Structures are given as structure tokens and as C-alpha cells.
Amino acid sequence: MALATVVGCAYGAGPAGAIPLVPGESTTSVPPVAATSTTTTSTTQVPGSTTFAPVAPSKGSPPTTGVPNVPTGGPPTSIPAPGAPPPPPIDVGPSVAAVNTDLAQLAAISSYPQAQANVSTAEAQQAAAWAGLAKSRIAATGVAAHRRDAAQQLAGAAARMASLALAAYTGEAYAAPGSPQASSATGTVATAGGVAPDVIADEQVLLDLVVQHTEKVFTSARGALRSATADSARAAGAVAAASAAVGGADQGVLDAKAALAAAARAATTSGAAAQQASATSAGAQLTSATSPSMSEATALADAPKILGPTVATAPELAAWFSSTGHQADTTVPIAQLAADYVAAGEATGVRADLAFAQSIVETGFFGFPSGGQLTAADNNFAGIGACDTCAHGWSFPDASTGVSAQEQLLEAYASPTKVQTPLIGPVGVGGCCPTWVALAGKWASSRRYGVEILSTYQEILDWVIPQRLLAAGLAAPGSVVPAPPGTEASGPAGPAAPSAPGIASKAPAPATPGG
């Protein structure tokens, strides 16, 4: 491979310096960091932790004095002749657009199960609202019946009071019509109705008692009616509120189903996914669909970042690699190597699936072609320490350490602040390459380096997308070649979509050998 030394921006300020590129290319001025003692040995990660323990240095280990140049590799590149006009800019727009669209589609696929759950929740709320309305109506019916009873009791008491009042006024309460006089011990006495005075007195007492009782009944009935009327008003309000809740729940179900349909469209339509995917549903680096004719500066800003969440899982990375038909010449199985990438990504914040794609480019699908400065035994998957003037790239004691070294170096390139790189030593660059596209000319001399990484990453995503569609129930069984056993996409498969006309699952893209 034609390799270049590292160039880039330094963390610290100082006089401008120049680091030579490959022969025939111009130099790039960068402010160097202050020289420090950097006696460094290779280290390995202590299992189960992020602590690195020193191990014996091996061939190609970092220099023991000064700020080390950390040469990195890359795919072959053509070197322009001295005095030749500068080559035209590389149009990275299509690669950036394709990857961003795939990432957005994966985000939409990831959001689909939540949209399904939202429909279930809305339907449960709808059922509860209808049950509440039925309960409120039953309660209102009971209150209405109680109010009718109270009204009838009040009416009866009022009628009884009126009857007693009339009887008392006319004397009918104690008179015996047709008896003009009554006899007593003193003789015959003329009285109203012919009733003796002592009888009249007794009848009056009885009448007063009846009136008092009737008044109590009347008062009680009137209070019961007032209470029943208030209960009836409250019951009517509860029915109205329950009816409103039913209306809201019905609309919630319609909205949730519409959102589910939109999520299904976004998940199964690659072109529309970038516009429709939710920014909170995947944690991936999402951007709007990007025009292929974007400027190089726009592409650099819009390209996927080096730091960020990993999208493809370790089993998916391993399964994709198996689908390409390549055989990995590595010291550990490809499934373990993919797991090492994801673990190192969690420790460094580097997007491990893209680092995996970078290594595909660097190693020729982990084949380590003959004639290069590295072999499988070096456990070096990113050309670290390999350059045009180097005899051999660095070696690492095991695959996990080599992967961790790669992602530590990537973190140093991408981070705007200085980070610790115990497996590499002081790097002297920082914040120069926030995106993978920006690595071109810095990690490797090839101007197409970032494009190669993104193109490989797109192949990975285009293989993962159908698997995720199948797992989410958005692709019919049999329409997607299943992943090898034990490497399926993470997450339970959801129920199949009710209808999915026009759903087109992406077929795995053919593998392209790396540089």
C-alpha cells in the first residue's frame, strides 16, 4: 500500500512546523505540540475493565523519544508528478448522501416498534375511555331514578300538607257533618259539627302531631330532592367528561395509526426515510437527504461523525462479513473481532461499525494482502505505523488491543479536546478530523480514503436494513435472506404489518474488495 504519515492540527499552540507527506506532495503546516518525554510501551486492556496494563514492546512499536509521528495506512493512491496541476476535488456528496439516507432509514425502522406500541397504548386508552363512559352513564341513570323518587316523595308530602291545612281550616279534621249538637255532662251544647269541646281538643292535638310529622317528611323529601339534583348535575358532568375522553381516545388511536403508517413508509422507503425519520428514535447521526452535487465543504460538515453511537451491532457486522464470502485472516474469529470493535467503541465513543468499515478498507477484508507492511499476526487493522518510509507497521499483542489502539487514535483525531491514548502514545493531532471524510490526506494519503470508508459502510447498512425490516415485521418472511444463525439483528421481531403494498426490501449489495 502507498501510505502517508499523519498530518493534522495540534492540540497546543506554537510555531508553525511542517510534516512531510508522501514524495511528490506538498507539505502541510501544522503547529506541533511541545516535546515531552514519551517513553511508551505497548499495552493491553485488562479484561473486564478499561485499564491498560503494559506489555513488552514489539516490532514497529512507537518511538521512545519525542512526540511520535503516528503513521497510518490506507488504500493505494496515485502520486502526482512534481509540478503537475492539482487534481480536481473528490465529489464525496453521493457517498455522504447514501450513507445518511441509510442511517435515516435504519432510524425509522428502529422507531417502528415504538409506533406499534403507541397504537396499542392508544387502543387501551380508548377501551378505558369507553368503559368510563359506560360507567358514567349507568351512574347517571341511577342518580336520575333517585331524583325521581325524591321528587315523588316531596310531591306526596306537599299534597298531604295541603290536605291537612284544608281540613284544619274547614273543621273537617274533627267535625262530624250532620250532627248539629253534642251532649256532655252539663247538658246539650251546640258545637261545630256537633262535637263536644273535649273531643275537639283531642282531635286538634292529633292533627298537630300529624302536621308536624308531615312537615318533617316534607323537609326531608325536599332535602333529598336537592341532593339528588346536585348528584344529577355531577353525573351529567361526568358523562360529558367521559364523552370528551372517548373523543380524545378515538382521535388518539387515529393519530397513532397514522404515525404507524408513516413510520412503515419511512422504514421501507429509502428515499423518503431521511425526511420522515424522527431525530429522537435511533441515536444515529441523522441528516437530511443530501444532494449529490453538494460542495466538498458541505459534504465534510454533513458526513457521518467519527464520534457517535454505533448503529450496526456486533452480530450484524459479523453476519455481513460472512455474507461477502471473504475469509478473515485474523487471530480471532470474526464474531469476536466485531465484538471487540463494539466494546472499544463504547469505551472511546467512536462509531465502532464505521471503524470496522475502515479496517475493511485498510486490510482488504481482513485479508492482509501480500506485499503490505502488516500481517494478520500484527493485530493491526488500521495501518498504524505503516508508511512509505517505514519498514513495518506496529504490532499489538492481541486483536482486542489492536482494535482499542485504532479507536483510541480515531478518538484523538476527532475530539476537540486532548484525550488519553495509552496504547499509541502522544499523538500530536486533535480535532482535525471530526468526520470520516476528513481523514483523507491525514490518516492516509489517498484523497478518496473517506469515500472508500463510506462506500464500505453503505454496503454494511444495505445488508443490515433488510434484516431489520424482517425483524420488525416490515418484510414478508422469505423476502429477505436471513442472517446466519446466532447473528440475527438485535431486538424481537414485531408483528407483520397489516398491509404493505410497495414495500421494497434492499438486497445486500455485492462486496467490493478493499484497497
Side-chain angles (χ1 to χ4, degrees):
M1 294 188 295
L3 309 174
T5 56
V6 170
V7 296
C9 54
Y11 286 115
I19 299 178
L21 296 171
V22 294
E25 291 191 342
S26 60
T27 58
T28 301
S29 296
V30 295
V33 295
T36 58
S37 175
T38 58
T39 302
T40 309
T41 61
S42 297
T43 56
T44 185
Q45 188 171 1
V46 177
S49 72
T50 56
T51 303
F52 295 91
V55 298
S58 55
K59 59 182 177 180
S61 295
T64 58
T65 59
V67 177
N69 242 356
V70 186
T72 53
T77 181
S78 58
I79 306 301
I90 301 296
D91 186 4
V92 298
S95 296
V96 171
V99 169
N100 284 343
T101 300
D102 277 357
L103 289 173
Q105 186 176 1
L106 279 171
I109 295 171
S110 297
S111 73
Y112 183 76
Q114 183 58 55
Q116 285 181 309
N118 291 344
V119 170
S120 298
T121 300
E123 289 176 339
Q125 292 172 344
Q126 181 187 46
W130 276 103
L133 177 59
K135 184 177 180 180
S136 297
R137 285 173 172 171
I138 292 173
T141 300
V143 169
H146 183 256
R147 185 179 183 281
R148 286 194 300 271
D149 292 343
Q152 290 175 357
Q153 290 178 2
L154 180 62
R160 179 64 174 159
M161 287 287 292
S163 176
L164 290 174
L166 179 62
Y169 178 76
T170 61
E172 292 179 357
Y174 46 82
S179 301
Q181 58 186 8
S183 298
S184 67
T186 58
T188 301
V189 179
T191 62
V195 182
D198 53 343
V199 174
I200 292 175
D202 292 342
E203 293 289 344
Q204 184 65 50
V205 170
L206 292 175
L207 177 62
D208 289 343
L209 293 175
V210 171
V211 169
Q212 291 175 10
H213 173 72
T214 304
E215 286 178 340
K216 290 180 179 179
V217 172
F218 178 83
T219 302
S220 175
R222 184 168 55 185
L225 179 60
R226 288 175 178 172
S227 177
T229 300
D231 290 344
S232 181
R234 285 192 292 269
V239 170
S243 297
V246 164
D250 289 346
Q251 186 60 48
V253 169
L254 294 176
D255 292 343
K257 289 183 176 179
L260 179 63
R265 287 193 300 271
T268 56
T269 308
S270 60
Q275 286 79 26
Q276 297 183 29
S278 168
T280 61
S281 61
Q285 177 66 34
L286 300 179
T287 61
S288 300
T290 313
S291 168
S293 60
M294 68 168 68
S295 68
E296 186 172 359
T298 301
L300 287 172
D302 209 31
K305 305 297 187 290
I306 290 176
L307 300 178
T310 299
V311 175
T313 66
E316 286 171 339
L317 293 173
W320 166 78
F321 185 86
S322 297
S323 74
T324 67
H326 289 86
Q327 297 297 318
D329 184 13
T330 51
T331 57
V332 295
I334 194 66
Q336 180 58 53
L337 188 64
D340 289 341
Y341 271 91
V342 173
E346 292 173 352
T348 61
V350 171
R351 301 178 69 155
D353 49 355
L354 265 157
F356 187 87
Q358 179 192 28
S359 292
I360 293 293
V361 173
E362 287 279 358
T363 64
F365 284 80
F366 299 111
F368 297 95
S370 60
Q373 295 183 10
L374 296 169
T375 67
D378 293 316
N379 292 306
N380 184 341
F381 310 104
I384 300 174
C387 65
D388 293 324
T389 58
C390 301
H392 197 284
W394 294 1
S395 293
F396 298 96
D398 52 53
S400 177
T401 304
V403 169
S404 296
Q406 175 185 351
E407 296 198 33
Q408 279 186 11
L409 190 55
L410 285 167
E411 182 187 11
Y413 272 58
S415 176
T417 58
K418 189 172 183 178
V419 297
Q420 296 299 316
T421 53
L423 295 177
I424 302 298
V427 173
V429 293
C432 61
C433 306
T435 70
W436 297 88
V437 172
L439 292 175
K442 297 181 177 64
W443 190 286
S445 57
S446 171
R447 297 170 58 248
R448 292 188 55 82
Y449 188 61
V451 174
E452 292 288 342
I453 294 173
L454 292 184
S455 297
T456 300
Y457 187 54
Q458 185 190 359
E459 292 180 20
I460 296 174
L461 297 182
D462 286 349
W463 186 90
V464 169
I465 285 173
Q467 308 299 328
R468 295 278 183 93
L469 289 172
L470 185 63
L474 287 165
S479 63
V480 176
V481 177
T487 57
E488 292 82 0
S490 59
S499 61
I503 288 180
S505 301
K506 288 189 177 182
T512 302

